[in-house]
Each structure stands twice: as C-alpha cells, then as structure tokens.
Amino acid sequence: MRPLRNRGPADSWLPVRREVESSGTSVVYAAVADWLPDDLQRPGLAAALGRDHKRLLEMNHVPNRSRFVASRLLLKSAAAAVLGATPDELELAYKPGGRPHLRGVDQLDVSLSHTEELLVVGLTRHGRIGVDAENADRRMLGLGTERQVCTPYELEAVLAVPVERRNGELVRLWTLKEAYSKAIGQGLRFRFTEFGFTPEDRQVQMLRPDGTPGAGWEWSFHSWLVDDSYMVSAAVYDPGFGGRGPAAAARPLLPVVPDPRLSAR
Amino acid sequence: MDDNATTSGGTALAVLVEEAARILGRPPGLLGPGQHLQHDLGFDSVMLLQLKGRLETRFPVLREVSLPDLLLGVHTLGALAGRLERTTGLPVA
Ligand SMILES: CC(C)(COP(=O)(O)OP(=O)(O)OC[C@H]1O[C@@H](n2cnc3c(N)ncnc32)[C@H](O)[C@@H]1OP(=O)(O)O)[C@@H](O)C(=O)NCCC(=O)NCCS
C-alpha cells in the first residue's frame, strides 16, 4: 500500500475505490489548497460541514480553519465515493474521546490528519484505522519531546541513528504512535512511552518498552515520505475473515444513513 | 525536596505565557488567559509536547505528571495555568 494523491474535487476517486475494494484499506492525501473553498462564508458550506460548522465558528486561527474545512470536504468526498453515496448524505460525528466516524455507517472506518499544507484521510472497510502526518523536517529532537514519546528501547535506537537522520527518525516514530493512538480512539490520552516501534531499517512492528514484539497479527503499521516533505503513518487493525464472517464479507458498501431528501418529503 | 522552590519568578500564568510565546515565536504580550490553545493559538500535538517539555524545565515536578493529566479538559491558557497552579503550587496570578 502507498498513499494515493488526490488533486481536488474534480479528480477521480476510481483508484481509491479500487484499492478499498481489493485490499480493504486506502490512505489518501491532498493539498489544503486543492480542497479549500475560495470563500468560507459561501452558502452551502454550513450544510456541507453539518455539525462541524459550529466548531468552525469557534476557530480564529486561520491556518487551522482552512485545514479543518478542507479536511472535511476531502474526507466526505472520499468516503462517499467508496460508499457509493454523495458527500451530503454523510455526517461526521465524534466519539467521546474525539475519534471521528461517519454517523450510521459501520462499513467504513475513517481517520484524519492535517498539518501545514497537507491533508490525510485513512479509510478501511474491515476494522480500524488511524493516520498521522507531520513535516518530516519538523524539529522534535532536543525539545524535551523524545523523553515523552519514546520507550527506553526506542531512545537507544534513535541515538544509534546517524545524527543527520536522527530527528527524522523521531518524527517517524511519533507519527506511528499517533496513528496507533488514533486508531484506538485515544489521541493524546495514550501513554506513548508504553509501546514502541522497530527501528527505521526494519518492517514496522510494534514493540514493548524492552524491544520485544508487542501487537498481534491483526495490526499493520506503515510509514511513507510523501511529496518529499511529509512523514505519513498509518495503523490498521484488521481482524481478518475469521472476525468478519461470511455475512460481513458480503456486506454491501452502501451506507445505512437515511436520505434527507426522502425525509423532507 | 520542594521542586517548585527552584523555579524563579512569576506566577503560573506568567510562566505559561512566556513558554507558549516562545513556542509560537510571538511576543508574550499578545497572549492572554482567555485564548484557546487550539482554536486561537493553533497548538497541535507536537507543540503541546514541546510546551510540556518547556514547562518541565521550569517546574521539575511536572516530569511526574503525564501529558493527559496536565492537558485533558483544559482548553485555554487561563485554565491550563489553573491546572499548573494545582500541580505545582504556584499562584495563577
Ligand atoms: C488526536 C490528536 C492526538 C491529534 O493531534 P494533531 O497531531 O495535532 O493533529 P492531526 O491533524 O494529526 O489529527 C487531528 C485529528 O485527529 C482526530 N482525532 C481527535 N481525537 C481523536 C481520537 N481520540 N481518536 C482518533 N482520532 C482523533 C480528529 O479528527 C482531529 O482532526 P480535527 O481536529 O480536525 O477534528 C490530538 O488533537 C488530541 O488528542 N486531541 C484531543 C483533544 C485534546 O486532548 N486536547 C488537549 C488540550 S488542548
């Protein structure tokens, strides 16, 4: 799996649909500018955002507002394409800890991340997904963060990395941890030093603080450098066909949300 | 024994504003207790980690406090100063 680039509302969702159909999971990224409406006051935006519009009105930080709006439009458009629905049929809601989900849709799990000019959306049919992104050059090392982020094993492994790549390695570990904590709905509540990941030269695996293998086979973890500048990580939980059963495997992708046009009649 | 005694000068809010301003690269005078960390100041998770790291150097007792214990349910600088006051024993203002 590689993240798929989307170039805005006019771009085709076919590659993403195909990937979700074949593997169950897709990670999509886009530029904020490609999804940001020219006018945040434009009629129709409140309807497109639904309950999120109230949150938008509480935001004064301009870059955050832009990422907030653009990420919703991207997420709904991608999910709608995969579900065979329209974006306005979908509503983004939040679990008590802040985990986003599509209300009434249990066929598709979603996750989102946004930083600087980048939007990332994770979609999976089978279990849970978490995605996270940071600028790969974002300074984290030496700011008092590594002690809060790394297990003892990871700290040692980070220090063993050549100095010019050390900060990037910390960013990679951090995005993996955030992706996992988002997949399980914990966000910043998670104790990041209680689990870790393999060093950069190995296939990504979860490790206990002492470096022994941690998570079960249902979990897979990925990190990619996209656009030569952002580190994007995903954590995917897939209980497999055993967990899904034949009925679930055959479940259609159509959402079970009521069509508002029908209830308006 | 008393870690807080090692922190020189200022109330919890003043120290917090100073450290938040440093992370944001803004003059501390532009920051006030009513500002929302995320919605007004644009703090993201890495900046929150950084803030905790900076505050730990000012209040060593915070090394024993987890990030969620410090931040959960706290949205504004003023509310965070209140949480800091309870954790460190420094007055808010
Ligand atoms: C989730 C979190 C760790 C990610 O922060 P980040 O790396 O700065 O930002 P990202 O863009 O990568 O991810 C943010 C997205 O994660 C999602 N998210 C938030 N909480 C989540 C959770 N518990 N589980 C899964 N996903 C979550 C949201 O969709 C959020 O986007 P939004 O703010 O536009 O709705 C962090 O924002 C968080 O825990 N927030 C909860 C609130 C909180 O604890 N605040 C502390 C006091 S200010």
Side-chain angles (χ1 to χ4, degrees):
Chain A
M1 180 172 57
R2 279 278 321 166
L4 298 173
R5 166 87 200 250
N6 170 280
R7 294 186 183 274
D11 200 359
S12 163
W13 285 115
L14 199 60
V16 176
R17 292 183 63 139
R18 284 212 181 108
E19 196 175 38
V20 173
E21 264 160 41
S22 62
S23 77
T25 300
S26 190
V27 175
V28 182
Y29 69 100
V32 174
D34 285 343
W35 282 89
L36 189 65
D38 294 335
D39 177 9
L40 291 192
Q41 315 294 332
R42 81 167 153 87
L45 186 64
L49 292 181
R51 292 178 196 208
D52 270 341
H53 193 247
K54 195 170 155 278
R55 264 180 83 191
L56 175 67
L57 298 179
E58 292 164 1
M59 294 182 181
N60 298 307
H61 189 262
V62 174
N64 270 15
R65 284 171 66 92
S66 305
R67 288 190 285 259
F68 182 82
V69 170
S71 61
R72 270 59 196 174
L73 299 177
L74 172 70
L75 186 150
K76 283 191 178 184
S77 181
V82 165
L83 291 162
T86 60
D88 59 1
E89 288 173 310
L90 302 176
E91 189 194 334
L92 198 60
Y94 303 89
K95 301 281 182 199
R99 187 178 206 280
H101 65 104
L102 295 167
R103 191 187 298 280
V105 178
D106 59 2
Q107 305 92 319
L108 193 68
D109 192 55
V110 297
S111 178
L112 64 88
S113 181
H114 35 70
T115 189
E116 299 182 7
E117 302 307 318
L118 185 78
L119 309 170
V120 180
V121 167
L123 307 160
T124 189
R125 283 180 69 176
H126 300 320
R128 291 277 173 267
I129 188 165
V131 294
D132 192 60
E134 295 292 348
N135 188 317
D137 291 331
R138 182 160 188 180
R139 174 132 182 253
M140 289 188 72
L141 204 62
L143 298 175
T145 52
E146 54 269 47
R147 209 182 54 83
Q148 303 176 62
V149 168
C150 295
T151 64
Y153 175 85
E154 284 176 316
L155 270 182
E156 254 178 56
V158 165
L159 291 176
V161 169
V163 67
E164 66 279 8
R165 282 196 283 113
R166 213 171 276 168
N167 186 71
E169 174 62 357
L170 184 58
V171 172
R172 184 188 69 95
L173 291 170
W174 168 244
T175 56
L176 279 165
K177 288 176 181 223
E178 279 224 296
Y180 176 68
S181 72
K182 286 184 189 178
I184 61 172
Q186 298 254 320
L188 282 183
R189 285 172 185 76
F190 204 82
R191 313 270 155 157
F192 292 100
T193 53
E194 286 177 11
F195 71 100
F197 289 95
T198 34
E200 54 175 355
D201 54 348
R202 285 196 250 149
Q203 195 200 338
V204 194
Q205 251 196 322
M206 189 185 278
L207 304 175
R208 292 181 222 281
D210 64 0
T212 57
W217 58 268
E218 303 92 340
W219 283 96
S220 60
F221 304 97
H222 315 264
S223 286
W224 309 275
L225 187 67
V226 310
D227 279 357
D228 290 331
S229 25
Y230 295 101
M231 183 60 74
V232 173
S233 290
V236 183
Y237 174 79
D238 180 350
F241 283 106
R244 269 172 244 150
R251 202 162 47 188
L253 271 174
L254 284 175
V256 288
V257 282
D259 184 337
R261 288 163 301 192
L262 295 178
S263 57
R265 275 188 204 152
Chain B
M1 178 68 214
D2 183 7
D3 281 334
N4 306 320
T6 62
T7 305
S8 55
T11 61
L13 181 63
V15 173
L16 173 62
V17 161
E18 201 179 301
E19 295 302 345
R22 195 200 290 247
I23 290 167
L24 294 165
R26 287 199 209 173
L30 295 182
L31 304 188
Q35 280 167 326
H36 192 290
L37 284 160
Q38 254 179 309
H39 295 172
D40 295 321
L41 301 173
F43 266 78
D44 66 8
S45 55
V46 175
M47 291 159 92
L48 292 174
L49 285 179
Q50 238 175 296
L51 182 61
K52 170 112 187 330
R54 290 294 321 163
L55 291 170
E56 283 176 2
T57 66
R58 306 289 297 262
F59 310 111
V61 65
L62 287 181
R63 284 177 147 250
E64 311 308 321
V65 180
S66 73
L67 188 71
D69 285 346
L70 183 65
L71 291 174
L72 224 64
V74 151
H75 299 292
T76 59
L77 285 175
L80 181 51
R83 181 79 53 92
L84 271 179
E85 181 196 29
R86 283 191 293 283
T87 336
T88 64
L90 260 196
V92 176

